[in-house]
Amino acid sequence: MLYSTLNGMDWTDMQQWETLPETLKELGIELPDDQLKYFIDQCKDAAGAIDKVDMETFIDDLKSLATAIQDLTSNEATRNISDKTYQEIIKYNPELTSQFSMNYDGSWDYMGESIDSLAEALRENTRTQIKNAETQLRTSLATSSIID
């Protein structure tokens, strides 16, 4: 059972390693947490496991975030945004949740310093997300060329 589980995994996929402890428990295989963590960490390192990047979803998220930034900068007078825009903002910027207040109608009010500073923070975060995705893709390509 253990052999077939490990043999059936994509060893380069970080998410499969993260779900392995639960899979082992379902198979009735119990290991001390520290030993299992050590084993998984060693295997991930040896396999060059990385988080997979779904480019279509990532590009859609970036487009949504760009729309959210545009909505914010064009609506400074009210500082009110829809729940959809709020969700797009905090998806990649969870630290900003404390700067919003929810209204009874489900919309959100930005309570921070200025809309321009929020928009710039979102732009900077977007640039960081793009750089991270690029790094993941480069790592993925390098890993696949080594393994293949």
Side-chain angles (χ1 to χ4, degrees):
M1 286 267 205
L2 177 60
Y3 174 77
S4 61
T5 299
L6 293 175
N7 193 38
M9 286 177 50
D10 175 358
W11 284 46
T12 63
D13 184 351
M14 186 73 74
Q15 286 142 346
Q16 290 195 21
W17 286 110
E18 290 171 0
T19 60
L20 183 62
E22 187 60 35
T23 302
L24 293 177
K25 284 182 184 174
E26 290 171 4
L27 294 172
I29 301 170
E30 301 260 351
L31 296 170
D33 288 342
D34 59 332
Q35 290 178 5
L36 181 58
K37 183 181 179 334
Y38 178 79
F39 170 74
I40 289 174
D41 288 345
Q42 294 299 308
C43 290
K44 286 190 306 190
D45 289 346
I50 59 169
D51 288 319
K52 299 290 183 189
V53 177
D54 178 351
M55 286 307 293
E56 286 182 27
T57 301
F58 183 72
I59 290 169
D60 288 344
D61 288 348
L62 288 178
K63 287 179 183 176
S64 295
L65 193 53
T67 300
I69 292 169
Q70 191 172 27
D71 289 349
L72 280 173
T73 55
S74 67
N75 201 16
E76 169 137 24
T78 65
R79 291 180 169 235
N80 183 270
I81 60 171
S82 68
D83 186 59
K84 180 182 178 205
T85 300
Y86 171 77
Q87 296 302 328
E88 291 165 353
I89 290 170
I90 64 165
K91 181 174 184 176
Y92 286 114
N93 302 275
E95 70 281 358
L96 295 176
T97 56
S98 65
Q99 295 185 27
F100 289 90
S101 175
M102 186 177 195
N103 296 315
Y104 290 112
D105 65 358
S107 65
W108 294 83
D109 285 335
Y110 175 63
M111 307 303 284
E113 204 172 295
S114 77
I115 294 294
D116 289 337
S117 63
L118 173 62
E120 185 52 39
L122 295 175
R123 285 185 197 104
E124 182 58 36
N125 188 279
T126 302
R127 286 188 285 273
T128 301
Q129 294 299 326
I130 291 169
K131 286 178 187 175
N132 291 345
E134 180 183 5
T135 300
Q136 284 182 313
L137 284 172
R138 288 181 190 278
T139 303
S140 180
L141 289 172
T143 302
S144 67
S145 67
I146 291 170
I147 293 173
D148 293 341

